[in-house]
Amino acid sequence: MSINNIIIVISLLPLFLLISILGGTHGVDNRYDFPSDFIFGSGTTAFQVEGAAKEDGRTPSIWDTFVQSGQQTEDIDVGCNQYHKYKEDVKLMADMGLDGYRFSISWSRLIPNGRGPLNPKGLEYYNNLINELLLHGIQPHVTLYNYDLPQALEDEYGGWISPKIVEDFSAYAEVCFREFGDRVLYWTTVNEPNVFVIGGYDLGFLPPGRCSFPFGKYKNCSEGNSATEPYLAMHHSILAHASAANLYRTKYKDKQHGQIGISIYGISLAPSTNSKEDAHVAQIARQFFFDWVLHPLMVGDYSSMMKKIVGSKLPIFTKDEGNLAKGCYDFIGITYYGEMSCKYLPNNWTVEDRDVYADLQAQIEIQSAAKRSLTSTKGLKGLLEYLIQDYGNPPIIIYENGFEAERNASLHDVPRVKYIMEHIQVVFDALRNGSNINGYFTWSFIDVYELLTGYETSYGLFYVDLDDPDRKRYPRLSAKWYSNFLKGKASTSLDFDPTTEELLFYS
């Protein structure tokens, strides 16, 4: 998924011009320059690729409801149809040479009511997908939650704003550990809580679309409280993660030998101007968005800065909850796309009435993809250094990294190749400088239904023809370059054949 609602049209440079720009560089020769146990992969999530939305016992999630409410209009019932085409997709992964595939489980496909009886067809599908991956030598990296809470739990008690979610999520997680954990060695509990709590409960542009006036910037708010609900949703996300992680560690880890973590959106925040005010709020925002998630995982409580800014709206960890949260991770997943800008925005709201951004006294804006592509490597470098300096260099897997383009049938995605190449180089440099990075995954393996833009934009290594009833996949240039890199046939300085002005493709 991407946090970018700006649709861009890519104007491809002639390839000879790109060669002239990059010809003098020399980077990582190939993936074998990395440690032998370093994991290279790609990913998708259930709602974004599976389709089969009304098949074999699956019930609606809050994302289904959000789409059908008119916030997004595309038909997602069939989508990319990975539910029926998973064997074909796994074969493409194997042909590319991927080490790992990151995917999520649809909670409402596996347990239609959110709790209670399992859906045999859902259980069969995920067993089949995992087995197919292993048959082809590909590691399954499983995310338990990615924006798609069963609608049944949302209707019953409000989902993530209720403490009841912690018990239900833990029960769901245990089903997954019990049924799939003999073959899954990498678990992510919750994906990007620092995004879905703001988008879903403050600004209202993500599922379940809750917000309150005047903070709902992308919809008319009919229910919600932007001042309090984001903090409740985050608190329960942390407790749900901690409960599931501790369950795994105490009951399953010794037998299954896997690792469990949480994935955070890696926001790289830069001041909008050179003013002291913008620099100050950018510094606070950097701490805020990471501290919100990571500080409780490190010390069992929110930071003093968070407490000072948010005041009584910030939920309190009990002693037992703090002990549960502290140290409850084996790795931290990072999703990273580029920089955002941060501008000081003074306000006169009382503490009780402020939303998250008003608490920060900042306006945070997504930079255009064109600008982001020029500054993003600097941002990733700074983010990795920040994790070392402020959080003691925890084990990291970069689980999403990709370049957004207008979705079309063009397979010649040179800007995406350049983007991936540059970020792999940053990862390599960070490793040499002591960063504890263990893996790098591109977003996304195939074109998916994007969180904010639906099918209008894409990140896929493979183009999916949605006009074709069979949803045929076509490899883009990025898929071919990445495959070459993984097979030791391409470097991060780009290998070109000047006679054809093409990358050296794998055979």
Side-chain angles (χ1 to χ4, degrees):
M1 106 13 115
S2 163
I3 309 304
N4 185 359
N5 59 356
I6 303 172
I7 301 172
I8 63 168
V9 177
I10 290 182
S11 177
L12 295 178
L13 290 170
L15 201 51
F16 70 87
L17 179 58
L18 186 58
I19 296 172
S20 69
I21 294 172
L22 299 174
T25 65
H26 178 73
V28 181
D29 285 338
N30 55 60
R31 66 87 40 81
Y32 299 112
D33 287 346
F34 284 78
S36 60
D37 58 351
F38 192 89
I39 305 162
F40 281 101
S42 192
T44 63
T45 74
F47 184 88
Q48 294 175 278
V49 296
E50 282 182 3
K54 299 175 182 177
E55 295 182 37
D56 292 342
R58 180 188 181 275
T59 60
S61 71
I62 58 173
W63 204 341
D64 293 274
T65 304
F66 191 73
V67 172
Q68 293 161 6
S69 71
Q71 299 303 314
Q72 298 167 336
T73 58
E74 291 90 345
D75 179 5
I76 45 81
D77 287 353
V78 177
C80 302
N81 202 22
Q82 189 173 84
Y83 186 76
H84 295 291
K85 294 175 70 69
Y86 70 91
K87 287 189 176 183
E88 177 184 328
D89 283 347
V90 172
K91 178 65 164 56
L92 293 175
M93 297 173 207
D95 290 345
M96 280 188 65
L98 295 185
D99 299 324
Y101 176 53
R102 183 189 183 223
F103 64 95
S104 71
I105 290 174
S106 167
W107 188 346
S108 63
R109 189 183 296 282
L110 187 63
I111 308 175
N113 293 322
R115 70 165 75 90
L118 274 65
N119 173 18
K121 287 291 187 179
L123 183 63
E124 179 183 20
Y125 170 70
Y126 292 113
N127 271 319
N128 287 343
L129 174 58
I130 290 167
N131 290 340
E132 192 72 15
L133 289 166
L134 293 173
L135 181 65
H136 288 80
I138 301 169
Q139 294 178 358
H141 288 242
V142 177
T143 299
L144 296 176
Y145 183 77
N146 192 84
Y147 296 81
D148 54 351
L149 183 75
Q151 186 63 44
L153 299 184
E154 182 73 18
D155 292 341
E156 181 182 342
Y157 54 71
W160 291 102
I161 61 175
S162 168
K164 294 179 180 179
I165 191 66
V166 177
E167 181 178 355
D168 284 341
F169 181 82
S170 297
Y172 157 59
E174 179 157 26
V175 169
C176 295
F177 301 151
R178 183 184 71 230
E179 298 294 338
F180 312 126
D182 58 329
R183 289 152 292 158
V184 174
L185 296 179
Y186 294 90
W187 296 99
T188 299
T189 54
V190 181
N191 188 52
E192 299 177 339
N194 55 341
V195 172
F196 86 72
V197 302
I198 294 175
Y201 299 91
D202 183 355
L203 304 182
F205 65 90
L206 297 177
R210 296 177 64 87
C211 56
S212 60
F213 181 82
F215 302 112
K217 294 178 172 53
Y218 300 95
K219 67 186 287 285
N220 294 322
C221 302
S222 58
E223 56 184 357
N225 186 328
S226 296
T228 60
E229 288 188 357
Y231 297 107
L232 288 173
M234 177 63 84
H235 193 69
H236 299 143
S237 297
I238 293 169
L239 291 177
H241 159 75
S243 179
N246 278 277
L247 172 66
Y248 182 76
R249 286 176 153 192
T250 57
K251 191 172 180 179
Y252 294 96
K253 188 177 178 66
D254 286 345
K255 294 181 291 185
Q256 298 178 352
H257 309 293
Q259 300 182 42
I260 191 163
I262 193 170
S263 190
I264 303 172
Y265 187 78
I267 303 172
S268 180
L269 287 159
S272 293
T273 70
N274 293 326
S275 71
K276 292 181 180 179
E277 292 82 3
D278 285 0
H280 179 63
V281 294
Q283 183 180 20
I284 291 176
R286 280 193 296 271
Q287 297 176 43
F288 190 95
F289 283 103
F290 281 99
D291 275 0
W292 202 359
V293 184
L294 285 183
H295 204 272
L297 271 57
M298 299 293 176
V299 303
D301 197 4
Y302 296 114
S303 69
S304 57
M305 177 201 63
M306 284 282 300
K307 293 177 179 179
K308 180 179 180 180
I309 291 175
V310 181
S312 62
K313 297 183 302 180
L314 192 65
I316 297 172
F317 286 100
T318 66
K319 183 177 180 180
D320 287 343
E321 289 171 344
N323 290 335
L324 190 72
K326 184 179 179 180
C328 62
Y329 66 92
D330 296 314
F331 65 87
I332 301 297
I334 296 294
T335 69
Y336 178 84
Y337 294 89
E339 290 189 349
M340 296 183 183
S341 61
C342 197
K343 182 175 180 59
Y344 174 62
L345 193 68
N347 64 76
N348 296 316
W349 297 99
T350 65
V351 173
E352 291 75 16
D353 293 332
R354 296 188 313 222
D355 77 332
V356 174
Y357 291 113
D359 278 338
L360 289 171
Q361 290 195 301
Q363 178 180 354
I364 297 172
E365 296 178 336
I366 301 153
Q367 294 180 349
S368 69
K371 183 176 182 182
R372 191 181 62 192
S373 67
L374 297 175
T375 62
S376 55
T377 53
K378 178 182 177 182
L380 179 58
K381 181 177 183 292
L383 173 60
L384 295 175
E385 291 174 351
Y386 179 69
L387 290 170
I388 293 174
Q389 294 168 4
D390 284 53
Y391 293 102
N393 201 14
I396 295 169
I397 300 177
I398 296 180
Y399 264 142
E400 293 182 29
N401 181 236
F403 185 89
E404 182 179 41
E406 180 185 26
R407 191 185 178 282
N408 55 48
S410 174
L411 305 179
H412 203 68
D413 58 341
V414 173
R416 182 174 289 118
V417 175
K418 182 175 181 289
Y419 180 95
I420 295 172
M421 172 200 73
E422 290 175 338
H423 285 78
I424 289 176
Q425 181 69 50
V426 170
V427 170
F428 181 73
D429 292 342
L431 270 171
R432 290 191 301 178
N433 291 327
S435 180
N436 196 5
I437 305 178
N438 301 309
Y440 172 87
F441 287 63
T442 68
W443 182 266
S444 55
F445 173 63
I446 59 175
D447 287 347
V448 306
Y449 184 87
E450 286 297 336
L451 183 61
L452 296 180
T453 58
Y455 295 121
E456 293 178 340
T457 65
S458 74
Y459 291 75
L461 301 176
F462 286 80
Y463 167 73
V464 179
D465 186 356
L466 297 177
D467 295 324
D468 179 356
D470 190 46
R471 300 300 196 263
K472 186 171 176 61
R473 282 83 156 116
Y474 298 89
R476 290 192 170 101
L477 199 65
S478 54
K480 297 176 180 180
W481 180 86
Y482 196 33
S483 180
N484 275 344
F485 176 79
L486 297 180
K487 294 177 180 179
K489 300 178 182 179
S491 77
T492 59
S493 57
L494 288 177
D495 291 323
F496 285 101
D497 180 347
T499 63
T500 63
E501 293 187 346
E502 292 289 350
L503 289 172
L504 299 175
F505 295 166
Y506 63 89
S507 59

